[in-house]
Amino acid sequence: DRDVTGVQTCALPILTGRKLNTSFVQHSLGFYDSMLRAGHAVRSEVIALHTEPSGVRLAGLVEVAVGEDIIRFDRVRSVDGRPVQVVRTVLPARLFPGLADLDMTDRSLYHVLAETYNTRPATGHRAIDATALGAEDARLLGAPEGHPALRIESVTRTAENVPFEYYVAIYRGDTFKFEFEITTP
């Protein structure tokens, strides 16, 4: 497209309504439950769910041996009918036998881990930074490449301090507002 001066322009999608508020990044409730409790409809489209040997970096993050099987679980999450998050998750396969064979469409990973494998999040570390959407994430989220985004990287542990989940989640920058409660230690 070109504007009246002949300069090429790019039309960005306009989302109506307020940004989705969430505080799940500071507790172990998880995205799915956090959005449901806030009254939103949540959908999950599975992009990938399979086992593969871990490389050095991922092995270190989920504390498995290099080459040990991990589960890759990638999905696009939609809230109230609009895609807002691409999340790529890695789990140690030995902790969750058969998980890669389950239909995880529209299911909460934390629910399945709790009900099927008796594994629940207790502690973890999450980091948030600003980024721009790469081509693949932009396509999955229906946004232009380079569109502002938020990136959360997380390692989640059980009460026994066992790391069971590593993920990177990419959020459209125009759809979420993260809120934190500040307390005195």
Side-chain angles (χ1 to χ4, degrees), residues 86 88 132-147 170 172:
V86 176
R88 293 177 176 88
L133 290 177
E136 177 68 8
D137 291 340
R139 182 185 67 74
L140 292 169
L141 295 174
E145 185 175 353
H147 192 71
I170 304 294
R172 285 183 59 140

Side-chain angles (χ1 to χ4, degrees), residues 13-146:
I14 297 173
L15 298 178
T16 58
R18 296 182 349 206
K19 288 185 180 186
L20 298 167
N21 290 335
T22 185
S23 61
F24 82 92
V25 294
Q26 69 194 35
H27 57 73
S28 62
L29 190 59
F31 177 84
Y32 187 88
D33 282 333
S34 180
M35 291 293 102
L36 286 181
R37 285 188 181 189
H40 298 287
V42 181
R43 304 286 321 257
S44 292
E45 176 191 347
V46 176
I47 301 168
L49 180 56
H50 62 269
T51 59
E52 64 183 53
S54 65
V56 173
R57 183 172 177 278
L58 292 178
L61 289 167
V62 293
E63 296 181 11
V64 299
V66 174
E68 184 176 335
D69 278 349
I70 55 171
I71 299 169
R72 287 268 190 175
F73 179 32
D74 301 347
R75 58 204 186 267
V76 176
R77 311 298 277 290
S78 296
V79 175
D80 299 334
R82 60 182 175 171
V84 296
Q85 176 199 60
V86 176
V87 61
R88 293 177 176 88
T89 304
V90 172
L91 307 118
R94 67 178 149 72
L95 298 180
F96 309 111
L99 178 65
D101 299 322
L102 298 178
D103 180 2
M104 293 297 294
T105 304
D106 296 331
R107 295 180 73 186
S108 163
L109 175 61
Y110 283 1
H111 285 182
V112 171
L113 297 183
E115 293 168 8
T116 307
Y117 301 97
N118 198 31
T119 300
R120 290 169 181 75
T123 64
H125 177 81
R126 291 185 178 146
I128 302 174
D129 62 341
T131 190
L133 290 177
E136 177 68 8
D137 291 340
R139 182 185 67 74
L140 292 169
L141 295 174
E145 185 175 353

